[in-house]
Amino acid sequence: MKILFKELSAKPFEVKGSVKNLKKTYAIQLKLANMQEASEQNPVDSLKSMMEALNELSAYIVDILHLSKPQQEKLEELSQNDLMRITQYLNMRLMGMSDADIEKAQAEADEDGEGLA
């Protein structure tokens, strides 16, 4: 599938919907769930968990999109919200959701006041 992230490239990335990439997607989702759990612990553990998560999110995006060095540098310049948005979009697409499905899920999350990020 072709996925465009204008923040990283003018051309769309070719992303394979393979089992290998799906495993990576579930692993990163597990990391995010653990990060939320850690935020309820002491502040030092919470900061360590956040730092690990940011590193792993970046590594996940680099791996899935096969980013070049200049694109990796652009990724590092993004905000945490942009990093999360890109990760969530990749997760949803790799799990088989279409753009229409993603828009619907976002609209429903916005109605509930939760958002996807």
Side-chain angles (χ1 to χ4, degrees), residues 41-100:
Q41 300 171 4
N42 74 53
V44 173
D45 288 343
S46 180
L47 288 172
K48 285 179 184 177
S49 180
M50 280 294 294
M51 191 65 185
E52 282 178 30
L54 288 173
N55 286 333
E56 289 185 32
L57 289 172
S58 295
Y60 169 77
I61 293 169
V62 168
D63 186 31
I64 297 292
L65 298 180
H66 305 288
L67 297 183
S68 66
K69 288 290 182 191
Q71 290 168 332
Q72 290 176 39
E73 290 174 16
K74 288 180 183 179
L75 181 68
E76 290 293 319
E77 295 299 319
L78 296 178
S79 69
Q80 181 178 338
N81 287 341
D82 286 338
L83 185 72
M84 292 298 294
R85 180 183 49 78
I86 289 170
T87 302
Q88 286 184 325
Y89 184 80
L90 279 174
N91 286 187
M92 291 184 283
R93 288 301 309 269
L94 284 166
M95 293 171 65
M97 294 178 76
S98 67
D99 283 333

